[in-house]
Amino acid sequence: GEDVEQSLFLSVREGDSSVINCTYTDSSSTYLYWYKQEPGAGLQLLTYIFSNMDMKQDQRLTVLLNKKDKHLSLRIADTQTGDSAIYFCAVPSPYNTDKLIFGTGTRLQVFP
Amino acid sequence: EAQVTQNPRYLITVTGKKLTVTCSQNMNHEYMSWYRQDPGLGLRQIYYSMNVEVTDKGDVPEGYKVSRKEKRNFPLILESPSPNQTSLYFCASSLFGSGPYEQYFGPGTRLTVT
């Protein structure tokens, strides 16, 4: 089956790094995504990584992919209060690349 | 402005009363999708559409219907709503279904079925 798991909550101090983890049971060999949902809003794409890459850096964001362990992580450097949101990983279904399976979401709370 | 719009944003209804949630995008996207968001369960896909007149079931299609008669519109229909369909619903669109394409999400529709 297709299962995408994330821890529900993460709390960090402003200025520290945040690491949000995601594990999946199976995926197509294509793109994997991180989305951000701010309070009262829809989701917005943060970044994505192609499955033949191990790492992708985009300003304060670093995505790590361990295909062997089926583990995806998002690191946010110098976390700010504006980063407080729910973060979702999303992976394509192994049976249908047009179908995205979203994780349960991790609520990141940044305190001063 | 490129956007996905949903209406209504909030809806309280009673069991069994048919309702439709509209979704429209102005980006000429091929792919559209409906999700529901529930606490602790994340986003689950209800239905998706690859193009006009092409729709397919997602993970939780029971109790829902969709249609794609025009490229820009993808309404979600609940023929006989039940309390377990109380949820936050999102419509999304992207250029294509797979690949490095962002899914653009609408603002959400909060539905309560009593």
Side-chain angles (χ1 to χ4, degrees), chain A residues 33 35 37 45 96 98-99, chain B residues 31 37 45 48 59 99 103:
Chain A
Y33 308 85
Y35 279 81
Q37 183 182 30
L45 181 66
N96 180 356
D98 296 317
K99 187 177 159 191
Chain B
Y31 182 92
Q37 182 178 13
Q45 191 175 46
Y48 65 97
D59 292 315
Q103 286 203 25

Side-chain angles (χ1 to χ4, degrees), chain A residues 50-88:
Chain A
F50 191 59
S51 56
N52 68 353
M53 297 169 66
D54 298 324
M55 185 181 87
K56 178 182 178 183
Q57 188 144 2
D58 185 359
Q59 299 182 333
R60 292 191 297 122
L61 305 178
T62 303
V63 180
L64 295 177
L65 175 60
N66 182 328
K67 283 183 67 177
K68 176 174 165 288
D69 293 340
K70 295 185 171 58
H71 184 265
L72 183 69
S73 68
L74 173 71
R75 179 177 179 269
I76 305 172
D78 187 25
T79 313
Q80 303 298 307
T81 53
D83 295 324
S84 293
I86 303 176
Y87 292 81
F88 292 90

